[in-house]
Amino acid sequence: MHQFPLASEPAGGIAGWATSLVDTMGGPGAGLAIALENLFPPLPSEVILPLTGFAAGQGVISLFSALFWTTLGSVVGAVALYQIGALFGRDRMYALWERIPLVKVSDLKKTEQWFVKHGMKAIFFGRMIPIFRSLISIPAGLERMPLPTFVLLTALGSFIWNFILVMAGYLLGDQWDLVESYVGVLSKAVLVLVVAALAVAVVRRVRARRADRQQDRVRTDG
């Protein structure tokens, strides 16, 4: 198996840890890193995925292997959280979440509210929003979303997110770490789109309710 050139190999931190996994296990190592990123949101996919793309560009693993294993890892990690949500139930899930370091219960609440409102869209688009991409699996389990539907939407949404970041690392080469800086802009853009979609949905509902009230008044007056 090829290894990273010593001059460009990350030495420590999350990048160093991910590098050692890919060096030791190849594509499955990248998949394991992303599965753990789903289970523990503070692990940054914007570091792990571009680094995996860089590894593919260096010949450590193939590009197909990078995309396949990271997407599989995303699905495995998401299904694990789905099952936790389904088995624990809402009260025990929140009690457990309070004990996990570096995560916020408020984030889980917001994610659950978003899922209740948007269901399948939340699973698909949520895979492209940091923090939400991991947490969205839990309310899907709490609400017992059909597992085949959940897996399909997770795989599609995760593949898009993984493809963008892996290819960025692949194309940037030893400047793969620039992705971490620029992905914040991408994440904010996606978040703005989601917020805009939510705003449009709210406006439509308000207008529909007003129209219904006016119709009721007309009928009452008539």
Side-chain angles (χ1 to χ4, degrees):
M1 180 184 295
H2 296 288
Q3 291 188 330
F4 284 97
L6 293 178
S8 56
E9 181 174 350
I14 298 298
W17 167 75
T19 297
S20 65
L21 283 179
V22 176
D23 271 344
T24 303
M25 302 173 62
L32 175 60
I34 288 298
L36 293 174
E37 179 265 335
N38 273 262
L39 291 169
F40 193 61
L43 289 176
S45 63
E46 58 267 31
V47 171
I48 298 171
L49 290 171
L51 178 59
T52 302
F54 172 52
Q58 295 293 313
V60 179
I61 57 177
S62 69
L63 186 58
F64 173 82
S65 179
L67 294 170
F68 173 79
W69 285 106
T70 54
T71 300
L72 180 61
S74 298
V75 173
V76 170
V79 170
L81 286 177
Y82 173 98
Q83 295 293 352
I84 290 173
L87 292 173
F88 273 62
R90 182 170 286 98
D91 293 339
R92 283 191 292 178
M93 187 67 246
Y94 275 97
L96 174 64
W97 202 256
E98 289 179 347
R99 300 178 182 178
I100 300 177
L102 303 179
V103 296
K104 299 177 181 179
V105 175
S106 60
D107 289 333
L108 181 56
K109 289 181 179 178
K110 291 176 184 177
T111 306
E112 184 178 8
Q113 291 169 356
W114 192 40
F115 175 81
V116 171
K117 288 182 179 179
H118 300 281
M120 292 191 294
K121 292 180 182 178
I123 295 298
F124 179 76
F125 290 106
R127 298 299 168 195
M128 305 172 210
I129 302 175
I131 301 299
F132 279 82
R133 59 183 265 102
S134 297
L135 301 184
I136 198 64
S137 302
I138 296 175
L142 293 174
E143 300 295 330
R144 302 299 175 94
M145 182 181 202
L147 188 57
T149 301
F150 173 80
V151 170
L152 176 62
L153 293 171
T154 295
L156 291 174
S158 297
F159 176 78
I160 293 173
W161 177 255
N162 294 355
F163 180 83
I164 292 171
L165 297 191
V166 167
M167 287 305 300
Y170 182 85
L171 295 173
L172 285 171
D174 57 7
Q175 292 183 306
W176 64 269
D177 54 327
L178 293 176
V179 178
E180 185 180 5
S181 301
Y182 289 105
V183 77
V185 177
L186 175 63
S187 300
K188 289 177 182 178
V190 173
L191 186 58
V192 167
L193 291 176
V194 171
V195 171
L198 290 176
V200 169
V202 170
V203 170
R204 287 179 177 176
R205 286 186 181 182
V206 171
R207 289 179 177 176
R209 289 179 181 177
R210 287 179 179 175
D212 291 339
R213 289 175 182 175
Q214 288 178 354
Q215 290 179 358
D216 291 340
R217 290 176 182 174
V218 170
R219 291 173 184 174
T220 302
D221 294 341

